[in-house]
Amino acid sequence: MTVERVNRGKAVLGTVAAAALGSAGNAVVSWAAQALGSDDGAVEGLQAKGYVVVTTVSVIVAAVVWARIRRRSRRPRAVLRTLVPAVVGVSLLADIPVFFFDGADPLGVLALMFMHVLVAVIAVPIFHRVMPLPDERAVAV
């Protein structure tokens, strides 16, 4: 299996775009949750200073992991098909304790959880475009 070379500039630009679009999407989710009564003081993840940093760091880490799996795995599609939902699932589990923080409201926590899914939904197609996966059908078994 040959792995198509990736244009690094295109990959970096795609990663920046995924982080920016993810942050913008999270801003909309945060605004909607607050408009419906969630308090961004009680659920700090609804504050821009929180979700922009976490989104950006998460997207950068995801891009690095995507690139490494793409280069090193014999079956990157299969690995990512399992890994991406697993990582999103674990990130959702990490939000469950927030339900029990003083003053936290269920809507705010659900908005946080939705933010995790939203960033994945935005980043994965961008990664596919800027760091395409090799065609596994071309691999001789």
Side-chain angles (χ1 to χ4, degrees):
M1 171 173 56
T2 60
V3 178
E4 177 185 335
R5 289 191 58 88
V6 169
N7 178 316
R8 284 189 181 169
K10 191 175 174 182
V12 168
L13 187 59
T15 302
V16 170
L21 291 171
S23 293
N26 286 342
V28 171
V29 172
S30 175
W31 173 84
Q34 291 175 60
L36 292 171
S38 290
D39 178 9
D40 69 344
V43 182
E44 290 183 21
L46 295 178
Q47 296 176 9
K49 68 181 180 184
Y51 64 75
V52 170
V53 171
V54 172
T55 299
T56 302
V57 170
S58 298
V59 167
I60 291 168
V61 169
V64 169
V65 170
W66 182 285
R68 290 185 65 85
I69 289 170
R70 181 186 177 278
R71 271 194 318 268
R72 297 179 187 240
S73 175
R74 287 185 171 172
R75 302 191 61 214
R77 287 181 194 278
V79 170
L80 289 166
R81 197 171 322 153
T82 302
L83 185 62
V84 170
V87 169
V88 172
V90 168
S91 76
L92 296 176
L93 291 174
D95 283 338
I96 290 175
V98 180
F99 276 110
F100 304 103
F101 289 1
D102 286 338
D105 63 298
L107 179 61
V109 178
L110 291 173
L112 284 179
M113 293 174 136
F114 183 73
M115 288 173 162
H116 294 283
V117 175
L118 180 63
V119 172
V121 166
I122 290 169
V124 167
I126 292 173
F127 293 165
H128 268 292
R129 183 152 182 102
V130 300
M131 295 180 282
L133 301 174
D135 186 3
E136 292 175 7
R137 292 171 292 184
V139 178
V141 179

